[in-house]
Amino acid sequence: EANSNLVKALEAQLEVLRQENEALQKDVEVLCTQQSQPGRRATSVIQERKLKEELEEVKQHLQTLTREKDATNKRLVAEVASVRKMEQAWLEQRERADKLDLDVKYYMSKAASALSESSALQGELESARAHAADAHQALHSQLQALREEPQAPQ
């Protein structure tokens, strides 16, 4: 938008310079007709020379403004391309971040599931150990009882 405003300002300035140029050309024509009058010829020549110099300065200024406008347009095109590249890179990074978020959620659910399964297995293991200890105790008690029974003669 800044470039657009600059271009509009340069175009407006160009139009003003064109109008001034036309006015100067008309002044030159008037001076030419006045040259035919004696006494004003020297003054007319000086005025004409000044007007030509001023016209040349205006032309040079116009060329400078045109070069500045062209350079500004080139910078604008480069900046727009740069912004587009940055936007594309940002979108790619955003997509990558979204995918990574999904991956994190997936692996977190898998970890929670594995932790839950591990807790369930830990409970089963504790239960099995308790049953084994009870069975061991029962066997030990039965073995003790068998050892304590009087043995029949053979």
Side-chain angles (χ1 to χ4, degrees), residues 76-132:
L76 176 64
V77 167
E79 289 298 321
V80 166
S82 177
V83 166
R84 285 187 181 146
K85 285 180 185 178
M86 284 190 263
E87 285 174 345
Q88 183 62 35
W90 182 85
L91 287 174
E92 289 170 3
Q93 290 300 318
R94 184 72 241 155
E95 288 174 6
R96 185 172 178 256
D98 290 345
K99 185 185 179 314
L100 289 174
D101 284 343
L102 289 175
D103 289 349
V104 165
K105 288 177 184 175
Y106 171 79
Y107 288 115
M108 286 181 74
S109 72
K110 287 295 185 182
S113 176
L115 185 59
S116 175
E117 188 176 320
S118 174
S119 294
L121 289 175
Q122 186 69 27
E124 287 179 28
L125 178 61
E126 291 299 321
S127 178
R129 283 184 182 162
H131 287 318

Side-chain angles (χ1 to χ4, degrees), residues 5-6 8-9 23 35 42 49 56-57 65 69 71 112 118 126 134 137 147-148:
N5 290 338
L6 178 61
K8 287 179 183 177
Q35 283 182 356
R49 191 175 305 134
E56 194 57 39
E57 288 174 10
L65 290 175
K69 182 186 100 175
S118 174
E126 291 299 321
D134 289 345
Q137 185 64 30
R147 284 185 187 158
E148 292 177 2

